[in-house]
PDB file of all heavy atoms in Angstrom:
ATOM      1  N   ILE A  67       4.171 -11.483   6.364  1.00  0.00           N
ATOM      2  CA  ILE A  67       4.697 -12.131   5.097  1.00  0.00           C
ATOM      3  C   ILE A  67       6.168 -11.833   4.940  1.00  0.00           C
ATOM      4  O   ILE A  67       6.925 -12.735   4.590  1.00  0.00           O
ATOM      5  CB  ILE A  67       3.846 -11.591   3.935  1.00  0.00           C
ATOM      6  CG1 ILE A  67       2.488 -12.227   3.893  1.00  0.00           C
ATOM      7  CG2 ILE A  67       4.579 -11.869   2.600  1.00  0.00           C
ATOM      8  CD1 ILE A  67       1.577 -11.650   2.763  1.00  0.00           C
ATOM      9  N   SER A 109     -13.038  -9.027   8.256  1.00  0.00           N
ATOM     10  CA  SER A 109     -14.054  -9.396   7.243  1.00  0.00           C
ATOM     11  C   SER A 109     -13.752 -10.703   6.555  1.00  0.00           C
ATOM     12  O   SER A 109     -14.526 -11.145   5.734  1.00  0.00           O
ATOM     13  CB  SER A 109     -14.170  -8.260   6.203  1.00  0.00           C
ATOM     14  OG  SER A 109     -12.958  -8.092   5.475  1.00  0.00           O
ATOM     15  N   PRO A 115      -4.080 -19.749   7.621  1.00  0.00           N
ATOM     16  CA  PRO A 115      -2.711 -20.269   7.412  1.00  0.00           C
ATOM     17  C   PRO A 115      -2.488 -20.764   5.973  1.00  0.00           C
ATOM     18  O   PRO A 115      -1.414 -20.575   5.442  1.00  0.00           O
ATOM     19  CB  PRO A 115      -2.623 -21.428   8.407  1.00  0.00           C
ATOM     20  CG  PRO A 115      -3.604 -21.057   9.488  1.00  0.00           C
ATOM     21  CD  PRO A 115      -4.723 -20.378   8.760  1.00  0.00           C
ATOM     22  N   PHE A 118      -1.831 -17.690   3.811  1.00  0.00           N
ATOM     23  CA  PHE A 118      -0.568 -17.145   4.205  1.00  0.00           C
ATOM     24  C   PHE A 118       0.612 -17.958   3.658  1.00  0.00           C
ATOM     25  O   PHE A 118       1.541 -17.450   3.056  1.00  0.00           O
ATOM     26  CB  PHE A 118      -0.522 -17.040   5.769  1.00  0.00           C
ATOM     27  CG  PHE A 118       0.760 -16.556   6.263  1.00  0.00           C
ATOM     28  CD1 PHE A 118       1.023 -15.245   6.343  1.00  0.00           C
ATOM     29  CD2 PHE A 118       1.746 -17.413   6.740  1.00  0.00           C
ATOM     30  CE1 PHE A 118       2.190 -14.719   6.909  1.00  0.00           C
ATOM     31  CE2 PHE A 118       2.918 -16.941   7.375  1.00  0.00           C
ATOM     32  CZ  PHE A 118       3.184 -15.606   7.368  1.00  0.00           C
ATOM     33  N   GLY A 124       5.337 -18.938  -2.405  1.00  0.00           N
ATOM     34  CA  GLY A 124       5.471 -18.464  -3.779  1.00  0.00           C
ATOM     35  C   GLY A 124       6.410 -17.339  -3.927  1.00  0.00           C
ATOM     36  O   GLY A 124       7.238 -17.285  -4.846  1.00  0.00           O
ATOM     37  N   LYS A 131      14.395 -18.310  -7.697  1.00  0.00           N
ATOM     38  CA  LYS A 131      14.483 -18.393  -9.139  1.00  0.00           C
ATOM     39  C   LYS A 131      15.203 -17.214  -9.742  1.00  0.00           C
ATOM     40  O   LYS A 131      16.055 -17.403 -10.636  1.00  0.00           O
ATOM     41  CB  LYS A 131      13.037 -18.491  -9.745  1.00  0.00           C
ATOM     42  CG  LYS A 131      12.420 -19.856  -9.613  1.00  0.00           C
ATOM     43  CD  LYS A 131      11.039 -19.793 -10.333  1.00  0.00           C
ATOM     44  CE  LYS A 131      10.355 -21.157 -10.326  1.00  0.00           C
ATOM     45  NZ  LYS A 131       9.042 -21.064 -11.025  1.00  0.00           N
ATOM     46  N   LYS A 140      22.181  -5.300 -19.127  1.00  0.00           N
ATOM     47  CA  LYS A 140      22.085  -3.936 -19.454  1.00  0.00           C
ATOM     48  C   LYS A 140      20.690  -3.433 -19.061  1.00  0.00           C
ATOM     49  O   LYS A 140      19.676  -4.069 -19.392  1.00  0.00           O
ATOM     50  CB  LYS A 140      22.343  -3.732 -20.933  1.00  0.00           C
ATOM     51  CG  LYS A 140      23.745  -4.065 -21.376  1.00  0.00           C
ATOM     52  CD  LYS A 140      23.980  -3.691 -22.838  1.00  0.00           C
ATOM     53  CE  LYS A 140      23.200  -4.552 -23.740  1.00  0.00           C
ATOM     54  NZ  LYS A 140      23.566  -4.347 -25.216  1.00  0.00           N
ATOM     55  N   LEU A 181      -3.717  13.857 -11.242  1.00  0.00           N
ATOM     56  CA  LEU A 181      -2.896  12.725 -10.911  1.00  0.00           C
ATOM     57  C   LEU A 181      -1.625  12.843 -11.729  1.00  0.00           C
ATOM     58  O   LEU A 181      -1.470  13.718 -12.580  1.00  0.00           O
ATOM     59  CB  LEU A 181      -3.624  11.400 -11.178  1.00  0.00           C
ATOM     60  CG  LEU A 181      -4.269  11.245 -12.562  1.00  0.00           C
ATOM     61  CD1 LEU A 181      -3.462  10.323 -13.481  1.00  0.00           C
ATOM     62  CD2 LEU A 181      -5.681  10.691 -12.447  1.00  0.00           C
ATOM     63  N   ASP A 182      -0.694  11.955 -11.511  1.00  0.00           N
ATOM     64  CA  ASP A 182       0.518  11.839 -12.368  1.00  0.00           C
ATOM     65  C   ASP A 182       0.338  10.841 -13.484  1.00  0.00           C
ATOM     66  O   ASP A 182       0.260   9.644 -13.188  1.00  0.00           O
ATOM     67  CB  ASP A 182       1.718  11.531 -11.431  1.00  0.00           C
ATOM     68  CG  ASP A 182       2.036  12.620 -10.475  1.00  0.00           C
ATOM     69  OD1 ASP A 182       1.916  13.812 -10.822  1.00  0.00           O
ATOM     70  OD2 ASP A 182       2.416  12.317  -9.335  1.00  0.00           O
ATOM     71  N   HIS A 235       6.257 -15.078 -25.474  1.00  0.00           N
ATOM     72  CA  HIS A 235       5.877 -16.452 -25.104  1.00  0.00           C
ATOM     73  C   HIS A 235       6.945 -17.479 -25.538  1.00  0.00           C
ATOM     74  O   HIS A 235       7.043 -18.539 -24.941  1.00  0.00           O
ATOM     75  CB  HIS A 235       4.502 -16.837 -25.726  1.00  0.00           C
ATOM     76  CG  HIS A 235       4.534 -16.712 -27.259  1.00  0.00           C
ATOM     77  ND1 HIS A 235       4.961 -17.687 -28.064  1.00  0.00           N
ATOM     78  CD2 HIS A 235       4.158 -15.755 -28.081  1.00  0.00           C
ATOM     79  CE1 HIS A 235       4.871 -17.382 -29.328  1.00  0.00           C
ATOM     80  NE2 HIS A 235       4.347 -16.088 -29.429  1.00  0.00           N
ATOM     81  N   PHE A 274     -14.754  -7.602 -15.399  1.00  0.00           N
ATOM     82  CA  PHE A 274     -13.524  -8.269 -15.885  1.00  0.00           C
ATOM     83  C   PHE A 274     -13.171  -7.734 -17.229  1.00  0.00           C
ATOM     84  O   PHE A 274     -11.992  -7.614 -17.545  1.00  0.00           O
ATOM     85  CB  PHE A 274     -13.725  -9.793 -15.876  1.00  0.00           C
ATOM     86  CG  PHE A 274     -14.079 -10.355 -14.540  1.00  0.00           C
ATOM     87  CD1 PHE A 274     -15.323 -10.796 -14.227  1.00  0.00           C
ATOM     88  CD2 PHE A 274     -13.080 -10.367 -13.495  1.00  0.00           C
ATOM     89  CE1 PHE A 274     -15.639 -11.335 -12.948  1.00  0.00           C
ATOM     90  CE2 PHE A 274     -13.417 -10.856 -12.242  1.00  0.00           C
ATOM     91  CZ  PHE A 274     -14.684 -11.334 -11.953  1.00  0.00           C
ATOM     92  N   ALA A 362     -23.567   5.529   9.155  1.00  0.00           N
ATOM     93  CA  ALA A 362     -22.439   6.444   9.221  1.00  0.00           C
ATOM     94  C   ALA A 362     -22.811   7.710   9.976  1.00  0.00           C
ATOM     95  O   ALA A 362     -21.994   8.220  10.794  1.00  0.00           O
ATOM     96  CB  ALA A 362     -21.987   6.817   7.800  1.00  0.00           C
ATOM     97  N   LYS A 373     -16.121  12.228  22.025  1.00  0.00           N
ATOM     98  CA  LYS A 373     -15.063  13.240  22.145  1.00  0.00           C
ATOM     99  C   LYS A 373     -15.379  14.263  23.238  1.00  0.00           C
ATOM    100  O   LYS A 373     -14.603  14.618  24.081  1.00  0.00           O
ATOM    101  CB  LYS A 373     -14.861  13.936  20.827  1.00  0.00           C
ATOM    102  CG  LYS A 373     -13.867  15.041  20.865  1.00  0.00           C
ATOM    103  CD  LYS A 373     -13.675  15.669  19.440  1.00  0.00           C
ATOM    104  CE  LYS A 373     -12.638  16.763  19.462  1.00  0.00           C
ATOM    105  NZ  LYS A 373     -12.457  17.374  18.089  1.00  0.00           N
ATOM    106  N   LYS A 436     -16.514 -11.597  19.173  1.00  0.00           N
ATOM    107  CA  LYS A 436     -16.201 -12.964  19.409  1.00  0.00           C
ATOM    108  C   LYS A 436     -14.686 -13.125  19.762  1.00  0.00           C
ATOM    109  O   LYS A 436     -14.392 -13.910  20.690  1.00  0.00           O
ATOM    110  CB  LYS A 436     -16.577 -13.821  18.165  1.00  0.00           C
ATOM    111  CG  LYS A 436     -16.403 -15.322  18.331  1.00  0.00           C
ATOM    112  CD  LYS A 436     -16.808 -16.064  17.079  1.00  0.00           C
ATOM    113  CE  LYS A 436     -18.288 -15.861  16.790  1.00  0.00           C
ATOM    114  NZ  LYS A 436     -18.721 -16.649  15.642  1.00  0.00           N
ATOM    115  N   THR A 483      11.459  16.164  -1.740  1.00  0.00           N
ATOM    116  CA  THR A 483      12.420  16.132  -0.573  1.00  0.00           C
ATOM    117  C   THR A 483      13.566  15.176  -0.906  1.00  0.00           C
ATOM    118  O   THR A 483      14.744  15.493  -0.624  1.00  0.00           O
ATOM    119  CB  THR A 483      11.670  15.667   0.702  1.00  0.00           C
ATOM    120  OG1 THR A 483      10.667  16.654   1.057  1.00  0.00           O
ATOM    121  CG2 THR A 483      12.611  15.427   1.861  1.00  0.00           C
ATOM    122  N   LYS A 489      20.440  13.832  -4.711  1.00  0.00           N
ATOM    123  CA  LYS A 489      21.203  14.300  -5.887  1.00  0.00           C
ATOM    124  C   LYS A 489      22.648  14.442  -5.576  1.00  0.00           C
ATOM    125  O   LYS A 489      23.523  14.407  -6.432  1.00  0.00           O
ATOM    126  CB  LYS A 489      20.601  15.615  -6.412  1.00  0.00           C
ATOM    127  CG  LYS A 489      20.748  16.793  -5.485  1.00  0.00           C
ATOM    128  CD  LYS A 489      20.083  18.055  -6.053  1.00  0.00           C
ATOM    129  CE  LYS A 489      20.220  19.210  -5.120  1.00  0.00           C
ATOM    130  NZ  LYS A 489      19.543  20.437  -5.640  1.00  0.00           N
ATOM    131  N   MET A 542      16.344   9.366   6.490  1.00  0.00           N
ATOM    132  CA  MET A 542      16.995   8.227   5.810  1.00  0.00           C
ATOM    133  C   MET A 542      17.819   8.646   4.641  1.00  0.00           C
ATOM    134  O   MET A 542      18.940   8.144   4.487  1.00  0.00           O
ATOM    135  CB  MET A 542      15.855   7.291   5.270  1.00  0.00           C
ATOM    136  CG  MET A 542      15.306   6.357   6.273  1.00  0.00           C
ATOM    137  SD  MET A 542      14.429   4.953   5.500  1.00  0.00           S
ATOM    138  CE  MET A 542      15.827   3.900   4.988  1.00  0.00           C
ATOM    139  N   GLY A 551      28.904   1.956   6.785  1.00  0.00           N
ATOM    140  CA  GLY A 551      29.243   1.638   8.139  1.00  0.00           C
ATOM    141  C   GLY A 551      28.987   2.792   9.157  1.00  0.00           C
ATOM    142  O   GLY A 551      29.048   2.560  10.332  1.00  0.00           O
ATOM    143  N   LEU A 569      -2.985 -16.119  17.656  1.00  0.00           N
ATOM    144  CA  LEU A 569      -3.244 -16.259  16.203  1.00  0.00           C
ATOM    145  C   LEU A 569      -4.203 -17.471  15.984  1.00  0.00           C
ATOM    146  O   LEU A 569      -5.065 -17.412  15.113  1.00  0.00           O
ATOM    147  CB  LEU A 569      -1.943 -16.483  15.474  1.00  0.00           C
ATOM    148  CG  LEU A 569      -1.037 -15.271  15.280  1.00  0.00           C
ATOM    149  CD1 LEU A 569       0.262 -15.660  14.592  1.00  0.00           C
ATOM    150  CD2 LEU A 569      -1.822 -14.236  14.413  1.00  0.00           C
ATOM    151  N   ARG A 572      -7.627 -16.587  16.559  1.00  0.00           N
ATOM    152  CA  ARG A 572      -8.183 -15.707  15.543  1.00  0.00           C
ATOM    153  C   ARG A 572      -8.088 -16.236  14.122  1.00  0.00           C
ATOM    154  O   ARG A 572      -8.232 -15.466  13.188  1.00  0.00           O
ATOM    155  CB  ARG A 572      -7.430 -14.329  15.590  1.00  0.00           C
ATOM    156  CG  ARG A 572      -7.768 -13.487  16.792  1.00  0.00           C
ATOM    157  CD  ARG A 572      -7.289 -12.060  16.710  1.00  0.00           C
ATOM    158  NE  ARG A 572      -5.899 -11.932  17.142  1.00  0.00           N
ATOM    159  CZ  ARG A 572      -4.887 -11.693  16.333  1.00  0.00           C
ATOM    160  NH1 ARG A 572      -5.054 -11.629  15.047  1.00  0.00           N
ATOM    161  NH2 ARG A 572      -3.648 -11.532  16.821  1.00  0.00           N
TER     162      ARG A 572
END
Side-chain angles (χ1 to χ4, degrees):
I67 285 176
S109 64
F118 177 81
K131 282 183 176 180
K140 295 186 291 188
L181 51 104
D182 292 325
H235 59 84
F274 301 109
K373 179 179 180 179
K436 186 178 297 185
T483 295
K489 65 183 180 182
M542 279 197 79
L569 286 176
R572 287 193 275 109

